[in-house]
Amino acid sequence: MDKNMKAHVKITLKKGVLDPQGKAIHQALGSLGFDGIDQVRQGKYIEIDLAETDESKARAAIEKMCEKLLANMVIENYAIELEQT
Amino acid sequence: MDKNMKAHVKITLKKGVLDPQGKAIHQALGSLGFDGIDQVRQGKYIEIDLAETDESKARAAIEKMCEKLLANMVIENYAIELEQT
Amino acid sequence: MKAAVIVFPGSNCDRDVAVSLNAVMGSSPEMVWHGNAEVPKSDLIVLPGGFSYGDYLRSGAMAAHSPIMKDVIKKANSGVPVLGICNGFQMLTETGLLPGVMLRNANLKFICKDVQLRVERNDTVFTRRYKKDQVITIPVANHDGNYFADENTLARLEDNNLIAFRYCDADGHPTGEANPNGSARNIAGLYNENCTILGLMPHPERLADKQLGGIDGLALFESLVETLH
Amino acid sequence: MSSQDTLGPRADEITPEIVAEHGLNREEYDRVCESLGGRAPNLTELGVFSVMWSEHCSYKSSRVWLAKLPTTGPQVICGPGENAGIVDIGDGQAAVFKMESHNHPSFIEPYQGAATGVGGIMRDVFTMGARPAANLNALRFGSPDHDKTRHLVSGVVSGIGGYGNCIGVPTVGGEVNFDKSYDGNILVNAMCVGLAEVDKIFYAAASGVGNPVVYVGSKTGRDGIHGATMASAEFDDDSDEKRPTVQVGDPFTEKLLLEACLELMAGDAIIGIQDMGAAGLTSSSVEMADKGGVGIELDLDLVPCREEAMTAYEMLLSESQERMLMVLTPGREDGAKKIFEKWGLDFAVVGITTDTGRFVAKHQGKIKADIPLDTLANNAPKYNRPWIAGEKRPVIVPDEVPAPNSLSDALIKLMSLPDLCSRRWVWEQYDHMVMGDTVGRPGGDAAVVRVHGTDKSLAVTTDVTPRYVAADAHEGGKQAVAETWRNLTATGAQPLAITDCMNFGNPQRPEIMGQFAGAIEGMAEACNALSYPVVSGNVSLYNETNGQAILPTPAIGGVGLIKNTERRASAAIGHDGDILLLVGTERGHLGQSLYQRDLVGKSEGAPPPVDLTAELRNGNFVRGLIEAGDVAHVHDCSDGGLWVAVSEMAMAADIGADITLGSQQLPAHAILFGEDQGRYILSVDADQVAKIIASAESLAIPVRKLGVAGGKSLRIDGEHEVKLADLRQAHESWLPEYMNTV
Ligand SMILES: Nc1ncnc2c1ncn2[C@@H]1O[C@H](COP(=O)(O)OP(=O)(O)O)[C@@H](O)[C@H]1O
Ligand SMILES: [Mg+2]
């Protein structure tokens, strides 16, 4: 068994915050002929390989990373999933 | 019941492709005092709200969007999750 | 020579390149809206710099699917010379007309400054007014100019002599320090197999006028006029 | 229908707390009720009053003082009061410019705050029919040691670049300062200069009754709705999203909006046009109707919204970006719509001009606001706030300021100071060459941008030295104006006019109001003496945290005209063997100098005085030499003094210089580091020297031979050598090194 974890972090814009990228993608998909799309929102997806086996410690560390650096808490939310590797 | 779907699309860099953003995040986390990180990779996370109820049709449509526009298949992979909303 | 400059929503160096073309051609190039289906008959197609579609998603990705691009690709494949500058280069890789991709600059910052380039060959329609291995000064201005391709592709580019320009120092050496953005093998510009398509990140139109501080970019446009009449 | 029936507030709706949350005091609230004919406002109306009567829109604390600034001159086509000021640059062309603050949003979210600041000021310029040609930014950050500073610098700079680069307008100049007074209140002042044809200028006035009011651009969301968090929470069922949302900039949409507006402006469909800036739909419609002397009625059901269930209150107060309001000639809607659709933008007729003189907003069949326009636009309280002038400080005698152990070490140290080191790290993140007309890039005195397709150029700069203003508001205000004038002159430009951004603390404190008053009077004095009026500007007050106010910072943006682009000067030494001349009087003024503050560690005494007569005379002389083609290498002396200015010229050319102290009875460090005003250094061909000196003497202009250019180092009378390579290392490395250490 390996003694590592992989964190999958999704960073998304808070509700109501304008998403120019999502808007432009939406329009571009429309002109490519994709119909029936109501909304597109773009966020970030970050994978972090951690040398840590304790899940709750790993989660606490990743949360801190999100708050301090990865997410811009004024306009973004984050969600963390952990996986043993 | 609502008759819509939400697609969650993760776009990640293929193995071996340089990731300047991931590298920079890794460094920044290091200098913030976060140790024990082996690797950081940054990708995109896109949410698409679709007016479509049939799951397999929705998946086929989203796959097409990924191949045509959302991902650059030279360097990126994508993964799709669907959710009824 | 007749030239067409394609204008995308968010293009912002379309006027600049038209000015340079006008200076060497003596007449204005045709400005063609991206929504059109066809490029009017021309000897040269230019994909200008800028932020087509805001450079959202990936630089050049959405422009690569603009209506006009079908015809641009068709004409490019039939041998009409195509020049892609900066965002135009990004479109050329996104359409697959040129191999590889542009990643975010290694320092993650937008970089606007003069850089030195080595002219790798001078036997193409784009470069005959330069000398081989000449060191020229041209500005870069981009956020995603970090050229990436897999090792096989890079080897093929080198073997077939398809690299157009490399970032270099004053003596022409492609050093790490001279590389502004982390590009593989210091690649600043590339040709297709037949050297009829050129994509480059630096902006030759920005140093093609003495008042702007230099004219090293002018020879590129003069080369085109000379060969394409 | 009597508005009283539908409009009376619910019994519990307007509590004193809600009034206070809207930033209105008791008297102001009474004035609101009076304006409504004695009735209380409903919540929507209260929101409308609160934004229209806010400091930001009504200038209630500053108006009486701003009136003292000179705003006219033969070159002025449009002074303050419109979206931007306009000056004549000949040949039927005009320069359109303004500067504006985005301080608070940039502190909360530096990238988006700065980006939307740039977007906002550009809309002010292109709403008048001008194509933006250059952007500048005047930035003040807290102490480099403060833990937030790096993050703020990084975010603000990339936000400014992110917006300007994308839209494709070159960012060519500005300022960056650090001081602990800005720790909790950074300043982000953005300036835009555009070019227009004199006969194609557009104003905001919405004249005529029955004309369609048209909304174009992005959709409206709940962005930047300030005012009442509590009040708005009431009609926001999403309880976890109470915080007022930050405005996010969309430069791509702004680029489309710019092109679409200019395309429509080529025709004659537009009667009036106004961007939606602060207080969005409310202030744009109120201002257009008021200027046109008409009423306006909006149907909010027609406003393009990007969020669900938006209330009238939210739509009227939203600060969503990249939107414009226009009044069109009836019947021209379809043609206009085609243009905006081609560019992929929303276009909606949302109202009509009326003859009622009232601002009326309807939503879902109900009248949500019905207010006399005149009162909203012009009846805001005007305060003549009490003020006290700062105490005059003594002039420091040069001998009282200790000399350094080593003059050359002192120079190296000065050149690497946060306030004096190279800003290359900043401007290389800005596309300063796009549009192909930047003939004077950042790094010189003023940037020079050609008027596209002509032989003319505009010179542009921003300046203020806050520590001078803090020591003597009047002299500091004067100095800021004079420095911009001098920077423009050093390129060979004829200064035309200024815009300003008045950043101060809490105006309810008499000493802050005293700073404001003093700065205005000083600015007015300089503007008058230099025939250099104010054509636009912006006031940002309440820049303080926990009673700690920022240094008074009246940032000045200057614009000048170079008639022949070939006859301009750069701030570099010309050639090896050139003679350096110093124009202007040397007094060795060290009070409030960088040398005194950062090398001696004292901030004492009066700032250097500005002699406006000498300023005008010296500047006109230097400009004359440039215009005649006699001189092409000029730099003004400012922060850091003489030797610093020589160093900058030397590094720009990679040519050294040996300078001499001259014959005056002053200590060497006062000559080298004193910040006397009104001075220029000229690098000239040896065979021009006699002629120039003779001509200066005939005009009684002080001039002396400062030294000779050559080699790769700097020296004082052959001694105190500093190698250019070492100087460059010191000058170029501070900012990148600082920014790389997280
Ligand atoms: N924020 C900025 N953006 C762009 N250019 C800047 C910025 N800050 C400073 N600069 C440029 O750096 C140079 C030096 O600035 P400053 O010391 O204020 O000049 P000066 O003393 O001549 O007024 C100028 O060319 C100025 O325009
Ligand atoms: Mg300045």
Side-chain angles (χ1 to χ4, degrees), chain C:
Chain C
M1 182 177 89
K2 281 181 77 176
V5 177
I6 315 293
V7 181
F8 298 88
S11 289
N12 62 34
C13 304
D14 43 336
R15 185 182 86 177
D16 306 2
V17 77
V19 167
S20 293
L21 283 167
N22 196 328
V24 294
M25 287 160 55
S27 64
S28 301
E30 183 115 12
M31 307 306 278
V32 183
W33 182 238
H34 81 115
N36 295 0
E38 225 179 298
V39 186
K41 197 171 163 351
S42 30
D43 308 303
L44 171 73
I45 299 174
V46 180
L47 303 174
F51 283 68
S52 58
Y53 295 91
D55 270 1
Y56 299 152
L57 190 63
R58 292 183 312 279
S59 301
M62 294 194 241
H65 294 288
S66 267
I68 195 84
M69 287 307 281
K70 279 211 181 80
D71 195 45
V72 170
I73 293 168
K74 197 173 110 200
K75 292 203 158 81
N77 285 329
S78 75
V80 176
V82 176
L83 170 63
I85 301 170
C86 197
N87 201 219
F89 187 11
Q90 292 159 341
M91 293 173 206
L92 289 171
T93 60
E94 282 286 339
T95 53
L97 284 170
L98 292 174
V101 294
M102 295 297 161
L103 301 175
R104 179 85 355 148
N105 293 339
N107 70 354
L108 304 191
K109 293 188 181 13
F110 189 95
I111 302 170
C112 177
K113 66 174 185 185
D114 286 349
V115 297
Q116 286 167 319
L117 306 177
R118 188 174 76 194
V119 180
E120 299 294 294
R121 54 190 288 185
N122 70 338
D123 58 347
T124 75
V125 294
F126 302 96
T127 54
R128 63 181 56 221
R129 284 284 187 102
Y130 296 108
K131 294 194 202 68
K132 182 170 160 19
D133 294 329
Q134 185 181 340
V135 176
I136 58 174
T137 301
I138 307 267
V140 287
N142 60 64
H143 213 160
D144 300 301
N146 183 351
Y147 183 74
F148 176 86
D150 60 42
E151 284 303 315
N152 290 336
T153 306
L154 292 172
R156 183 176 63 79
L157 291 171
E158 304 245 19
D159 292 347
N160 295 319
N161 198 10
L162 299 180
I163 297 172
F165 303 99
R166 280 186 223 255
Y167 302 110
C168 69
D169 65 14
D171 302 320
H173 301 301
T175 61
E177 259 124 66
N179 185 342
N181 49 27
S183 287
R185 317 260 168 120
N186 281 43
I187 290 173
L190 276 188
Y191 296 113
N192 65 336
E193 299 288 341
N194 304 324
C195 296
T196 54
I197 304 177
L198 169 64
L200 78 168
M201 286 316 292
H203 288 266
E205 77 278 18
R206 293 189 178 191
L207 276 183
D209 171 347
K210 274 213 185 78
Q211 283 187 343
L212 294 175
I215 53 165
D216 281 359
L218 195 61
L220 189 141
F221 300 103
E222 287 172 342
S223 300
L224 285 163
V225 170
E226 185 179 304
T227 37
L228 304 174
H229 307 293

Side-chain angles (χ1 to χ4, degrees), chain D residues 65-205:
Chain D
W65 286 101
L66 294 177
K68 297 187 188 286
L69 294 170
T71 59
T72 55
Q75 71 276 42
V76 177
I77 294 175
C78 172
E82 277 286 340
N83 285 298
I86 307 180
V87 294
D88 196 332
I89 57 169
D91 311 308
Q93 294 174 310
V96 180
F97 58 96
K98 174 153 196 255
M99 176 153 52
E100 197 159 70
S101 68
H102 228 217
N103 302 339
H104 189 63
S106 302
F107 186 74
I108 303 292
E109 211 309 284
Y111 184 98
Q112 296 298 345
T116 51
V118 173
I121 195 62
M122 280 194 282
R123 281 194 298 286
D124 274 333
V125 165
F126 72 77
T127 198
M128 304 203 72
R131 180 176 283 281
N135 285 335
L136 298 96
N137 54 104
L139 312 177
R140 320 276 155 188
F141 297 102
S143 155
D145 304 328
H146 192 270
D147 28 321
K148 275 216 169 99
T149 300
R150 236 179 236 102
H151 164 72
L152 291 167
V153 172
S154 160
V156 165
V157 169
S158 53
I160 289 170
Y163 208 101
N165 300 346
C166 180
I167 196 169
V169 174
T171 303
V172 298
E175 302 172 88
V176 183
N177 280 176
F178 297 88
D179 185 274
K180 68 174 183 336
S181 73
Y182 305 107
D183 281 354
N185 294 85
I186 62 169
L187 303 184
V188 174
N189 296 171
M191 172 171 168
C192 178
V193 187
L195 293 165
E197 302 292 320
V198 172
D199 59 3
K200 272 283 172 198
I201 289 170
F202 290 81
Y203 295 98

Side-chain angles (χ1 to χ4, degrees), chain A residues 13-21 23-24 27 39 41 72-75 77, chain D residues 108-109 112 218 223 238 241 243 245-246 248-250 252-253 306-307 322 344:
Chain A
L13 283 172
K14 288 189 174 162
K15 213 179 132 188
V17 174
L18 177 71
D19 178 7
Q21 309 231 30
K23 197 173 101 185
Q27 280 184 352
Q39 193 184 217
R41 303 280 282 174
N72 178 348
M73 298 307 296
V74 183
I75 50 174
N77 292 321
Chain D
I108 303 292
E109 211 309 284
Q112 296 298 345
S218 283
D223 307 310
D238 234 316
E241 300 277 348
R243 120 180 25 238
T245 38
V246 168
V248 169
D250 182 356
F252 172 55
T253 296
R306 69 163 205 272
E307 293 186 69
E322 292 93 22

Side-chain angles (χ1 to χ4, degrees), chain D residues 174-175 445 461-463 483 487:
Chain D
E175 302 172 88
D445 286 316
T461 184
T462 75
D463 294 281
E483 186 173 350
N487 276 327

